[in-house]
Amino acid sequence: MIRNILLWAACSGLSLVTYAQSPAKPPLDHSVYDGWESINSKAVSNNGQWIVYTINPQQGDARLVIYNTKNRRSLEVPRGSSAVITEDSRYVVFNIDPLYSEVRQAKIKKKKSAAMPKDSLGIVSLEQWQVWKTPRVKSFKTPEKGSGVLAYLLEKPEGSKDSTGGTPLVIRNLPAGREDTIDHVLEYTFSKAGNKLLAAIAPSGKDSLATAGVLLWDIATCRADTLSRGAGRRSAFAFDETGQQAAWLSTRDSAKALQHTYCLYYYRPGQDSGRIAVDKHTAGLPAQWGVADSSALSFSKNGQRLFFGAAPVRPPKDTTIVDFEVAKVDIWHYQDDYLQPMQLKNRRKDLQKSYTAVYYPDNGKVVQLADQSLEDLATTDEGDSNYALGYTDKDQRIPMQWTGRTLKTAWLVNVTNGARRLVKEMVDGRFYISPKGRYLLWFDRTAGHWFTYQVDGGAIRNITTAIPATMYEEDDDHPDTPGPYGMAGWLEGDRYVYLYDRYDIWQVDPAGAATPVNLTGGQGRQEKTRFRYEKLDKDEHFFKKDQDLLLSAYNETSKYNGFYLLRAGNAALLQLAMGPYAYRLPEKAKNADRYIFAKSNFQLPPDIYTALAGGKRPSFAKAEQLSHINPQQQQYNWGTASLFKWTAYNGQPAEGILYKPEDFDSTKRYPMIIYFYEKLTDLLYHYQPPAPTPSRLNIPFFVSRGYLVFAPDIIYEAGHPGRSAYNYIVSGARALAQHAWVDSTNIGIQGQSWGGYQVAFLVTQTSLFKAAWAGAPVANMTSAYGGIRWESGMNRQFQYEHTQSRIGGTLWEKPELYIENSPLFHLPNVTTPLAIMHNDADGAVPWYQGIELFTGLRRLGKPVWLLNYNNEAHNLVQRQNRKDVQRREQQFFDHFLKGAPAPQWLLHGVPATEKGINWGWNY
């Protein structure tokens, strides 16, 4: 039957034209993927002299490159990864991964984890330019701010059959090369300054002489003090800012105990050991509460507070219940805060949920700050303020089913006594606390403005009403209240907050006294350039008065990208780089004007560049290119990317990206594939590697093989997403077809998820397309409306009423729009062969949507195929499946748009009896 359908399709206009004489360069093929490279990570030393980065093939062995900016020498370490440059800029420490081929063979032989090939550790002395290596290293750590020391944890000895207990921890003095070893370590952590190290000791079952406990290692004296001794499990180690105070969690209960009771241990100099600071009997904790085993411990910056988590003590497991004699049932209740699937999805997290409490070491006082009525608490960045922000969406969760978010109520919480002061109820937005804790900040989506609450006095102010620009997303086309453009940060002392409009950055007084100042001088809006702050210091909590700010820049008209420097004081805006490239991932040396960043466009892979940007007129114009990945690209027919503009059917100006083969010849005619989502022109100058696709169209692959690819932007009209897609996609296709080099008889479309829905809709509205590929499409909005997004457990109603599907009302209010926009109700109109990919573990779009589409078209005798990759998600994860779908997409479009022979899976399918034996690729 399918063979007859294909013959019918051919008689209906399937072109058998051969497009091509062989190009001067060969096209990309499926063999190129594994060796195609990317830069996985990069870093610059604090003094700016050293740069490290890792080059990773898609499949195979990585290599680490260490570069000296002074003499331009470089060192390459095979299989190096996860590199760290020490704080003093003298050493690079890194993993050395096992050979990919060895790991692959071990997996083929189904070796157990203990027998798999293990990592090694590498250290390069940057002064001596030497590599030191040691094998079988499980992990390593260096101090965040200290220098000269490294700790690494070894694997069990090769061939060991004892899986219990810890392993040796080696502490290495880097300058001297001296090493000390602590045996039986399970967990370890450095203080930030690198002056101390905590280690949890857990001897194996075969070592009767060693004792479990906690050791404190002094880096300067190379001596260990025992802070805790005896059986138990210890975790969550934390130091204060200076490395003097320490804390951890501990339980004496065995792993097999039916109930585990944890205590918070605390140590400070002068104590002979750690002592129990908090347990379930401690005053200040609610009755029947205890220290949560999921606690994250943190000291305030001044060391006067220790924050931890507490939770209700759960009853022990009932051992009288016989599993096979009890029912397995989920009970859905209409008054539940969350739908049952969402509860089940979050069950593990909810069982581990803890509520912030604080311990005061000086007097032993404990204050419970959060609880079930106020679950979320945010302290200031340094934790030193007497106030914290508490917020909750309690009693507002049921509407999330159709709104997609919740209204929140904020409280000011006194950290010294737990007292609460109501700040603002039922806000459609998110709350923040300023770095010093002087203000609470939020954006109210209903009002469209930013507001502050002044802790001293309790005044609430609209702080953006005087700004002559909208602070919400002015081009948002969803039937919903738009969200904010966001916040760049705070000036020290909470003096100003820096907020974004569509283009510019505003300096706003949180007290509402000073007039807002446009820091970028209105240049952004004038030139339609979006300026956004690039955070270069991960420890930065606020801006300093004399701090220059690095800004990324994107021009909406030209699509150019770049960097600007906003100079402190006179707020001068200086261009560092701007052009037809994607500039991304900038980093700066802490103590030098040395920058590194990635630069690319569609023709140029994202290589690493470095530049000095000091002086009065800083610039990246003389940036030095360090990496040169993918030189093999020059051997293949690649492509170009350009902006194409036209007028959509609704009379609005439209634009999209047109990709052409490198050997494009305007005297020839090319088949075209249209790929779309919502708006993609922001990616005009972004590089796209030829990787086997998880779902989207592999654009460079098809362009290399003689296709045009067109990616149009779509602007949506509320209530009519399908018609909007038609207005822009079909009008764009016909506008391009006016050019003689476009073969208007051989145009295909491909889309995934929301794009897949639009593919399914479009083939019911036009016969323009010769072939169509829809990934994870919604076919029937009436049945999808009440379904579940299984990856989150959320109901899908919000999506149709307010977000991506853009219907703007319930199924009962606007049933005609749900039917109008559902491909299923228009399937008799389809004349286009359609391939569907929809996987049975899809957590975003239930795969029965693909089944509805397939069975409907099959019932009508239309040419349709459904690919279901077993146990795969919305987008393919497993690489072998990505390679498979890539091959099938090529065969599908080559057959219908180029007249190539149909493979077996297109002609006859693959019977279930041949699954895993015959892939149906052959012709």
Side-chain angles (χ1 to χ4, degrees):
M1 178 180 176
I2 293 177
R3 183 181 181 89
N4 292 335
I5 292 171
L6 286 173
L7 291 173
W8 163 79
C11 293
S12 300
L14 223 178
S15 172
L16 298 179
V17 174
T18 299
Y19 286 92
Q21 293 186 357
S22 297
K25 296 179 181 179
L28 295 167
D29 58 46
H30 301 295
S31 69
V32 306
Y33 304 138
D34 292 351
W36 221 267
E37 297 171 331
S38 61
I39 305 294
N40 187 47
S41 61
K42 66 186 190 319
V44 58
S45 62
N46 286 340
N47 67 2
Q49 182 177 349
W50 306 96
I51 296 169
V52 300
Y53 54 92
T54 304
I55 299 175
N56 287 74
Q58 290 183 27
Q59 191 165 294
D61 295 317
R63 60 189 191 276
L64 175 71
V65 179
I66 303 172
Y67 181 78
N68 186 333
T69 60
K70 284 189 175 181
N71 59 24
R72 298 188 175 182
R73 291 177 58 199
S74 63
L75 175 68
E76 191 170 289
V77 183
R79 308 191 313 282
S81 67
S82 305
V84 173
I85 307 176
T86 57
E87 186 79 2
D88 58 6
S89 304
R90 295 179 61 191
Y91 301 91
V92 177
V93 187
F94 49 92
N95 287 331
I96 301 175
D97 302 327
L99 283 165
Y100 172 81
S101 59
E102 292 181 357
V103 174
R104 180 176 179 272
Q105 284 300 313
K107 288 180 178 179
I108 291 172
K109 294 177 181 178
K110 298 182 179 179
K111 290 187 175 183
K112 294 182 179 180
S113 176
M116 292 291 287
K118 303 299 182 184
D119 290 356
S120 298
L121 177 73
I123 304 172
V124 170
S125 168
L126 297 174
E127 296 170 349
Q128 300 174 353
W129 208 237
Q130 294 176 346
V131 183
W132 179 88
K133 302 176 184 179
T134 191
R136 299 185 62 79
V137 172
K138 186 183 298 185
S139 67
F140 75 86
K141 293 180 182 179
T142 58
E144 187 177 339
K145 297 299 181 183
S147 298
V149 65
L150 160 75
Y152 60 92
L153 191 65
L154 296 174
E155 296 276 1
K156 291 277 186 182
E158 195 165 2
S160 172
K161 297 181 180 180
D162 183 6
S163 60
T164 64
T167 56
L169 177 73
V170 180
I171 303 169
R172 183 179 178 88
N173 182 302
L174 290 169
R178 171 185 167 179
E179 292 189 339
D180 295 283
T181 301
I182 304 174
D183 289 327
H184 311 301
V185 173
L186 270 185
E187 185 177 339
Y188 63 105
T189 190
F190 274 112
S191 64
K192 181 180 288 189
N195 56 336
K196 306 283 185 179
L197 179 142
L198 276 174
I201 309 301
S204 69
K206 295 183 179 181
D207 190 340
S208 59
L209 299 179
T211 303
V214 175
L215 290 184
L216 177 67
W217 182 268
D218 185 277
I219 301 302
T221 63
C222 300
R223 291 182 55 189
D225 289 329
T226 300
L227 302 188
S228 180
R229 189 185 300 273
R233 289 182 292 166
R234 285 96 173 174
S235 60
F237 291 108
F239 281 103
D240 70 356
E241 193 77 8
T242 64
Q244 299 302 309
Q245 301 177 93
W248 64 92
L249 301 180
S250 180
T251 178
R252 298 286 184 178
D253 302 314
S254 71
K256 296 180 180 180
L258 299 178
Q259 188 179 45
H260 296 95
T261 301
Y262 278 81
C263 299
L264 172 64
Y265 275 74
Y266 169 79
Y267 171 81
R268 74 192 322 168
Q271 296 177 196
D272 58 358
S273 63
R275 58 178 172 81
I276 296 177
V278 183
D279 61 18
K280 64 181 181 179
H281 304 295
T282 300
L285 292 185
Q288 303 303 312
W289 280 45
V291 177
D293 61 343
S294 57
S295 265
L297 307 183
S298 64
F299 284 90
S300 60
K301 191 168 185 178
N302 62 16
Q304 295 175 7
R305 297 177 178 133
L306 171 58
F307 295 97
F308 67 98
V313 176
R314 296 191 175 276
K317 182 179 179 181
D318 188 348
T319 58
T320 66
I321 295 177
V322 181
D323 186 66
F324 63 81
E325 292 181 345
V326 297
K328 305 294 191 296
V329 59
D330 301 327
I331 300 175
W332 299 40
H333 194 281
Y334 73 102
Q335 290 179 322
D336 283 346
D337 274 0
Y338 301 108
L339 284 170
Q340 194 64 201
M342 196 170 183
Q343 293 182 47
L344 293 170
K345 190 73 178 179
N346 295 327
R347 183 173 182 270
R348 179 187 293 269
K349 182 178 70 175
D350 289 342
L351 287 171
Q352 296 176 342
K353 187 170 182 59
S354 65
Y355 303 89
T356 305
V358 61
Y359 168 71
Y360 286 86
D362 286 346
N363 58 22
K365 179 181 176 182
V366 171
V367 181
Q368 187 65 47
L369 303 176
D371 54 31
Q372 291 100 326
S373 65
L374 192 66
E375 306 97 325
D376 296 298
L377 189 111
T379 60
T380 57
D381 286 328
E382 297 181 354
D384 294 344
S385 170
N386 285 336
Y387 293 96
L389 162 66
Y391 56 94
T392 181
D393 58 3
K394 191 175 178 63
D395 299 326
Q396 297 298 316
R397 293 163 183 161
I398 291 176
M400 183 170 61
Q401 175 176 323
W402 54 88
T403 63
R405 57 183 185 271
T406 57
L407 301 179
K408 296 177 176 60
T409 295
W411 298 76
L412 189 70
V413 181
N414 189 312
V415 179
T416 63
N417 59 24
R420 297 173 182 177
R421 188 196 311 172
L422 180 64
V423 173
K424 185 70 175 177
E425 293 183 281
M426 312 268 287
V427 171
D428 188 2
R430 179 181 174 186
F431 291 91
Y432 307 86
I433 188 167
S434 63
K436 285 293 183 183
R438 296 174 57 196
Y439 299 93
L440 304 186
L441 172 77
W442 67 92
F443 182 85
D444 188 322
R445 294 172 71 115
T446 303
H449 282 284
W450 289 91
F451 291 79
T452 57
Y453 172 88
Q454 190 165 346
V455 171
D456 183 10
I460 293 179
R461 299 182 179 90
N462 181 334
I463 61 171
T464 53
T465 187
I467 294 178
T470 57
M471 305 307 287
Y472 56 83
E473 295 184 13
E474 58 190 57
D475 58 345
D476 190 342
D477 58 9
H478 297 89
D480 198 3
T481 52
Y485 285 106
M487 169 179 59
W490 290 79
L491 190 64
E492 62 183 327
D494 295 351
R495 180 64 184 90
Y496 295 108
V497 60
Y498 294 174
L499 302 172
Y500 298 128
D501 70 15
R502 180 172 179 174
Y503 301 105
D504 291 299
I505 305 175
W506 292 84
Q507 176 183 281
V508 182
D509 180 2
T515 302
V517 175
N518 191 321
L519 288 180
T520 45
Q523 182 175 334
R525 187 164 294 272
Q526 181 181 351
E527 299 177 357
K528 291 189 175 181
T529 297
R530 301 179 206 157
F531 291 113
R532 296 295 183 261
Y533 172 62
E534 293 284 347
K535 186 175 181 178
L536 299 174
D537 183 354
K538 63 183 177 63
D539 295 324
E540 176 185 86
H541 300 314
F542 48 79
F543 305 136
K544 297 180 179 178
K545 292 181 180 179
D546 59 349
Q547 180 178 344
D548 295 340
L549 305 183
L550 182 70
L551 308 181
S552 63
Y554 168 75
N555 185 273
E556 291 182 348
T557 303
S558 67
K559 315 300 179 185
Y560 284 9
N561 295 270
F563 293 123
Y564 280 69
L565 198 64
L566 181 61
R567 278 285 172 86
N570 59 1
L573 193 59
L574 304 176
Q575 179 178 301
L576 299 179
M578 196 72 182
Y581 303 98
Y583 289 92
R584 299 178 63 244
L585 306 174
E587 295 184 33
K588 180 184 177 297
K590 184 177 181 179
N591 303 318
D593 286 325
R594 171 73 61 183
Y595 290 81
I596 59 173
F597 54 90
K599 174 184 173 184
S600 64
N601 59 25
F602 186 71
Q603 289 83 22
L604 300 176
D607 277 302
I608 300 301
Y609 290 74
T610 183
L612 287 171
K616 295 181 179 180
R617 297 298 303 177
S619 173
F620 285 179
K622 296 182 180 180
E624 177 187 359
Q625 182 176 349
L626 302 185
S627 64
H628 296 81
I629 60 174
N630 300 319
Q632 75 278 14
Q633 178 180 309
Q634 301 302 318
Q635 302 169 15
Y636 294 97
N637 187 40
W638 194 248
T640 62
S642 59
L643 204 60
F644 179 76
K645 298 188 177 186
W646 75 99
T647 301
Y649 286 151
N650 59 6
Q652 296 300 310
E655 59 185 10
I657 306 173
L658 178 61
Y659 299 93
K660 298 178 183 177
E662 180 182 323
D663 63 348
F664 174 79
D665 183 344
S666 62
T667 65
K668 296 180 180 179
R669 299 175 73 219
Y670 293 85
M672 182 167 67
I673 302 174
I674 303 178
Y675 172 78
F676 40 83
Y677 194 76
E678 292 190 356
K679 295 180 180 179
L680 297 174
T681 54
D682 286 8
L683 305 178
L684 174 63
Y685 295 112
H686 282 240
Y687 184 77
Q688 299 184 42
T693 177
S695 59
R696 61 169 291 164
L697 190 73
N698 187 344
I699 291 175
F701 179 85
F702 281 98
V703 170
S704 176
R705 302 185 71 84
Y707 288 90
L708 302 174
V709 172
F710 178 47
D713 281 356
I714 305 163
I715 299 173
Y716 295 91
E717 175 189 358
H720 303 283
R723 185 170 71 193
S724 302
Y726 182 93
N727 284 343
Y728 284 86
I729 295 167
V730 176
S731 67
R734 294 197 183 279
L736 270 170
Q738 300 301 309
H739 295 276
W741 34 266
V742 176
D743 184 351
S744 60
T745 65
N746 285 290
I747 298 177
I749 50 175
Q750 196 269 4
Q752 166 72 13
S753 190
W754 180 238
Y757 154 71
Q758 292 169 101
V759 168
F761 181 84
L762 288 172
V763 297
T764 70
Q765 304 297 307
T766 179
S767 58
L768 172 66
F769 304 111
K770 195 67 161 297
W773 185 290
V778 167
N780 182 359
M781 289 191 176
T782 67
S783 62
Y785 174 75
I788 298 294
R789 295 178 65 92
W790 294 106
E791 64 189 5
S792 64
M794 290 184 66
N795 182 254
R796 296 173 58 82
Q797 290 177 354
F798 77 93
Q799 180 175 326
Y800 294 91
E801 296 179 32
H802 295 293
T803 62
Q804 190 171 62
S805 299
R806 295 175 169 89
I807 298 300
T810 70
L811 179 60
W812 308 283
E813 293 168 335
K814 300 182 178 181
E816 72 285 354
L817 293 182
Y818 284 82
I819 293 172
E820 171 196 317
N821 289 284
S822 295
L824 188 75
F825 297 101
H826 315 295
L827 294 186
N829 302 331
V830 174
T831 61
T832 304
L834 176 66
I836 305 164
M837 183 193 80
H838 213 149
N839 307 316
D840 52 24
D842 192 324
V845 179
W847 86 298
Y848 56 72
Q849 287 294 311
I851 294 173
E852 286 193 51
L853 184 58
F854 175 83
T855 55
L857 289 170
R858 170 184 160 97
R859 170 68 177 81
L860 294 166
K862 310 288 186 177
V864 61
W865 299 261
L866 174 61
L867 303 178
N868 166 32
Y869 289 90
N870 304 159
N871 300 312
E872 271 281 22
H874 187 60
N875 297 294
L876 295 174
V877 174
Q878 297 183 46
R879 188 169 177 82
Q880 65 269 31
N881 291 337
R882 293 182 176 189
K883 288 183 176 181
D884 182 89
V885 78
Q886 179 67 63
R887 181 189 292 263
R888 295 187 197 279
E889 275 195 6
Q890 181 204 342
Q891 291 180 331
F892 178 79
F893 284 118
D894 279 0
H895 173 64
F896 286 107
L897 303 187
K898 286 189 172 183
Q904 180 183 338
W905 71 272
L906 271 180
L907 280 174
H908 308 294
V910 177
T913 54
E914 298 181 20
K915 181 177 179 179
I917 302 170
N918 174 18
W919 304 107
W921 293 330
N922 296 330
Y923 297 100

